[in-house]
Amino acid sequence: MIKTYYGRSSYYMENKSVELYTSILGANTVAHYNIDGKKICPYFIAPWWEEPWLDIGVDLLNVARGSFFCMPFGGDDTGYNGKVEPVHGSCASENWTMISANDKNEEKTMYIEFSKGRGSIEKELKLIKGQTVFYERNTIKNY
């Protein structure tokens, strides 16, 4: 499911304990935890999220929130083996694609992927019934 969260289109899943938002651009993940009837969000959301889009070549700053995976690091003009990357890597500044989502018994799992020619990164996000936590695994393939 896709929802708008603080102005950014985000993949969304929830159970009774956790609401999880992962931005399509950059795969920045933020969770809200339902604890004793209170919604708690310990993740930072950039205070400029409502301001006009910054056209500075690094879209990560336009989405900056929560937890996100970065690689390969760059930011220089020479790059590595002729491949120039933005400061936190392309995966932090470009769109991720939903691969699949499932809801099996007491677990909900979402898989999203970033792919840029020479390899891919698969992000697995998991919620487990009764646990006030989310699990995340990033798998790097063929880099």
Side-chain angles (χ1 to χ4, degrees):
M1 172 187 299
I2 295 176
K3 288 190 172 190
T4 299
Y5 180 74
Y6 282 88
R8 303 294 177 252
S9 294
S10 301
Y11 298 116
Y12 173 80
M13 70 176 173
E14 69 175 337
N15 63 18
K16 289 183 179 181
S17 303
V18 183
E19 293 176 29
L20 196 65
Y21 299 87
T22 301
S23 64
I24 293 172
L25 178 67
N28 291 233
T29 300
V30 174
H32 291 264
Y33 302 100
N34 299 315
I35 301 172
D36 298 327
K38 297 178 187 173
K39 189 182 283 190
I40 298 169
C41 180
Y43 296 92
F44 180 80
I45 306 220
W48 56 83
W49 71 270
E50 291 182 286
E51 294 179 12
W53 196 265
L54 301 170
D55 188 16
I56 57 173
V58 181
D59 287 337
L60 166 65
L61 296 178
N62 291 298
V63 180
R65 61 195 62 210
S67 168
F68 57 93
F69 184 76
C70 305
M71 74 142 295
F73 284 91
D76 60 357
D77 293 331
T78 58
Y80 178 74
N81 285 340
K83 296 174 184 143
V84 177
E85 292 286 342
V87 176
H88 285 83
S90 297
C91 67
S93 291
E94 295 185 24
N95 288 338
W96 288 62
T97 304
M98 172 73 72
I99 299 172
S100 66
N102 60 57
D103 188 350
K104 294 181 180 176
N105 299 324
E106 301 190 358
E107 291 185 6
K108 291 185 177 187
T109 308
M110 175 171 56
Y111 296 92
I112 59 176
E113 180 181 60
F114 171 80
S115 182
K116 188 164 182 171
R118 65 182 173 276
S120 65
I121 304 163
E122 183 178 287
K123 179 183 293 286
E124 174 187 11
L125 296 160
K126 183 180 289 193
L127 301 177
I128 298 176
K129 182 179 178 181
Q131 295 186 16
T132 311
V133 65
F134 75 90
Y135 297 91
E136 177 177 350
R137 176 180 18 213
N138 293 284
T139 305
I140 301 165
K141 299 178 179 180
N142 303 316
Y143 261 91

